[in-house]
Amino acid sequence: MSDLPLFPSGFVFGAATASYQIEGAVHEDGRGPSIWDTYCHTPGRVDGGDTGDVACDHYHRYPEDVALLRDLGVDSYRFSIAWPRIQPTGSGPANAKGLDFYSRLVDELLAAGIEPAATLYHWDLPQALEDRGGWRVRETAERFGEYTQIVAEHLADRVPRWITLNEPWCSAFLGYSVGRHAPGAQEGTGALAAAHHLLVGHGLAMKALRAAGVREAGITLNLDRNVPASDAPADHEAALRADTQHNLVWTEPILAGRYPATEQDTWGELITRQDFRRDGDLDLIAQPLDFLGVNYYRPIVVADAPYREPDPSRRVATDNRYREMTYPDVRRTAMNWPVVPESFTDLLTALKDTYGQALPPIHITENGSAEHDAVDQDGGVHDPDRVAYLHSHLTALRTAMDAGVDVRGYYVWSLLDNFEWALGYAKRFGIVRVDYDTHQRIPKDSYHWYRQLIAAHRG
């Protein structure tokens, strides 16, 4: 541990999960169906035909998981709240049993000396709202604000840190353009409307959280470091379009109160019709944050390319005249993502350089790797590649902090192996292995390494 830079006093070490990926119990205690329930039960959508029906059975085993967190020594646990547990149809009165589950979880965490950090939306939209248009329509943003008010009034006295949305890029573009996430749509303007309404929903949720008196409120973005494939001007322009589509569509409205200057070049005819935007939306979206959550995994190398679909009426929102290239000569994780820790430093310092005083303190709300780990003959799970990934990325994080980036905390992704969305159960991100037949939890070497790291900061 001596070669790992120490972090300042008060730095928050945590671990993160998400509701649909771990909870299971999708038909219990009044929970309504979500878009992921529908997506998973549609043949051909999820690898292996897997679903989140049982997942890690966290709904019934949460005391065991909190005990793992306590033994790990984390300061904070980031979990998400399943909207369909609170409002089975996305509107109307609260489901008391759903609120009670999260209340019990929060109390269990506090009794273990762990600070709860709640994410209000980690992609499990009530199916009833999708049936009425989903994030394509403003009504969903309005319902999200009402849902936030219900949850905050119930838990704000015990949950100090709140995140409105997790990775809205995935919700808008994987869900409504690529079609590889729920609800599985492939659209152009519909996906851009979804992106905007997610931002409006964030703004309404921030107002509800402020009204409830929460201590800290922010949003989590999965920001990517988009690297041009060459020095050619066309590749640099393609990287800017990729940056617009992945990053600026969120950071510009939230941090600067403006839409990206590059949106016309990125989306062309798709962005010409903007009837989903209203006067006052930017003021709502750009309310001050107490922190910005950043999820980071890998850089993307991009090169110039023509539209895949020449006809704008048939073009999806992620067809932005660039293509992703293979990052050369580096190790790749089980997700086939390149391991380039210095790009983590570059991303964070670029954020500071771009937004300056407008950039709030940062929490790294997810960082980790899927690896090809398995139970060894000795009964342990030895995952040296994950340990190396965490070591190198925490070192890169410290380098960014030394360069002046105000980072207050780090949450490893993930506490548990879990349902990895359209990839089913084939990819394992956890520092604790889950046997999906028995639900036995086995801490991996990375769990023990992270515990030693945290202990080294405990004076």
Side-chain angles (χ1 to χ4, degrees):
M1 303 297 294
S2 60
D3 62 334
L4 189 72
L6 291 177
F7 290 83
S9 176
F11 189 84
V12 174
F13 289 99
T17 64
S19 51
Y20 190 76
Q21 293 183 272
I22 67 168
E23 284 182 0
V26 298
H27 303 298
E28 292 189 36
D29 292 337
R31 179 191 179 276
S34 78
I35 55 173
W36 271 99
D37 296 297
T38 302
Y39 189 88
C40 289
H41 286 276
T42 303
R45 289 293 202 182
V46 177
D47 293 357
D50 292 334
T51 76
D53 288 0
V54 179
C56 304
D57 197 30
H58 172 78
Y59 191 80
H60 302 111
R61 299 169 185 265
Y62 71 89
E64 179 182 357
D65 295 333
V66 173
L68 285 166
L69 289 162
R70 182 194 62 226
D71 293 345
L72 184 59
V74 293
D75 304 295
S76 181
Y77 172 53
R78 179 189 170 215
F79 63 96
S80 78
I81 295 168
W83 188 350
R85 287 203 193 280
I86 308 305
Q87 291 178 302
T89 62
S91 62
N95 171 33
K97 289 184 177 179
L99 287 172
D100 287 348
F101 168 70
Y102 294 106
S103 186
R104 294 194 305 272
L105 173 61
V106 166
D107 287 345
E108 190 88 9
L109 290 165
L110 293 173
I114 299 166
E115 184 177 75
T119 301
L120 286 157
Y121 186 72
H122 202 130
W123 311 348
D124 38 7
L125 182 71
Q127 180 62 43
L129 290 181
E130 178 59 30
D131 293 342
R132 297 203 295 272
W135 288 109
R136 305 174 192 84
V137 300
R138 185 170 289 259
E139 180 198 0
T140 298
E142 294 167 348
R143 298 292 82 75
F144 183 63
E146 294 168 1
Y147 150 73
T148 299
Q149 181 180 356
I150 290 170
V151 176
E153 288 178 351
H154 193 74
L155 296 176
D157 61 326
R158 289 164 289 159
V159 177
R161 183 171 299 123
W162 292 80
I163 294 165
T164 56
L165 305 175
N166 177 77
E167 298 187 356
W169 184 88
C170 295
S171 298
F173 295 118
L174 289 184
Y176 290 93
S177 177
V178 178
R180 187 62 171 137
H181 274 197
Q186 294 179 309
E187 302 175 11
T189 302
L192 295 178
H196 183 71
H197 292 138
L198 282 154
L199 288 168
V200 172
H202 156 74
L204 293 170
M206 287 292 293
K207 291 186 71 172
L209 292 170
R210 296 294 186 213
V214 305
R215 192 182 80 191
E216 295 182 50
I219 187 173
T220 281
L221 306 176
N222 56 316
L223 301 178
D224 289 309
R225 184 66 174 165
N226 299 288
V227 182
S230 76
D231 290 331
D235 285 345
H236 278 265
E237 291 168 4
L240 182 56
R241 289 192 293 274
D243 203 44
T244 303
Q245 204 265 324
H246 283 265
N247 300 337
L248 300 180
V249 65
W250 316 111
T251 58
E252 287 289 274
I254 291 169
L255 300 178
R258 63 194 176 215
Y259 299 114
T262 49
E263 65 178 8
Q264 187 68 50
D265 186 54
T266 302
W267 285 295
E269 295 92 334
L270 296 182
I271 199 67
T272 301
R273 201 196 92 206
Q274 301 180 12
D275 56 349
F276 49 80
R277 293 176 175 173
R278 295 184 184 176
D279 291 344
D281 280 355
L282 282 173
D283 290 338
L284 177 65
I285 294 164
Q287 296 171 74
L289 304 175
D290 297 308
F291 66 91
L292 174 67
V294 173
N295 293 354
Y296 176 82
Y297 292 96
R298 82 282 189 255
I300 299 173
V301 177
V302 294
D304 183 50
Y307 283 123
R308 295 185 296 276
E309 172 52 66
D311 182 354
S313 68
R314 300 173 57 184
R315 189 179 302 147
V316 299
T318 44
D319 186 358
N320 306 131
R321 292 182 293 138
Y322 70 85
R323 58 193 172 99
E324 296 185 12
M325 307 290 288
T326 300
Y327 204 102
D329 303 325
V330 296
R331 187 182 81 79
R332 306 182 83 82
T333 70
M335 295 288 288
N336 202 33
W337 292 344
V339 180
V340 189
E342 58 268 27
S343 71
F344 191 18
T345 305
D346 293 342
L347 173 74
L348 294 171
T349 54
L351 265 179
K352 177 182 72 71
D353 293 343
T354 300
Y355 293 105
Q357 294 300 313
L359 182 67
I362 289 172
H363 282 267
I364 306 305
T365 41
E366 289 182 25
N367 177 241
S369 66
E371 305 292 351
H372 299 289
D373 51 56
V375 181
D376 206 353
Q377 291 181 343
D378 63 5
V381 181
H382 309 302
D383 54 344
D385 286 339
R386 183 176 289 106
V387 170
Y389 181 99
L390 296 176
H391 183 288
S392 63
H393 282 74
L394 280 158
T395 300
L397 177 60
R398 181 68 225 214
T399 301
M401 294 171 66
D402 290 341
V405 183
D406 184 3
V407 181
R408 305 285 179 89
Y410 174 93
Y411 292 78
V412 68
W413 184 268
S414 175
L415 175 68
L416 303 172
D417 289 339
N418 54 45
F419 178 78
E420 188 50 40
W421 307 111
L423 298 176
Y425 293 100
K427 306 299 182 185
R428 293 179 176 268
F429 276 90
I431 59 173
V432 174
R433 183 178 178 87
V434 177
D435 182 314
Y436 294 119
D437 294 323
T438 66
H439 294 106
Q440 179 188 15
R441 274 75 161 142
I442 304 174
K444 305 178 187 180
D445 285 357
S446 54
Y447 173 98
H448 299 295
W449 179 88
Y450 192 42
R451 182 170 63 180
Q452 289 177 329
L453 168 69
I454 295 169
H457 288 78
R458 295 294 183 256

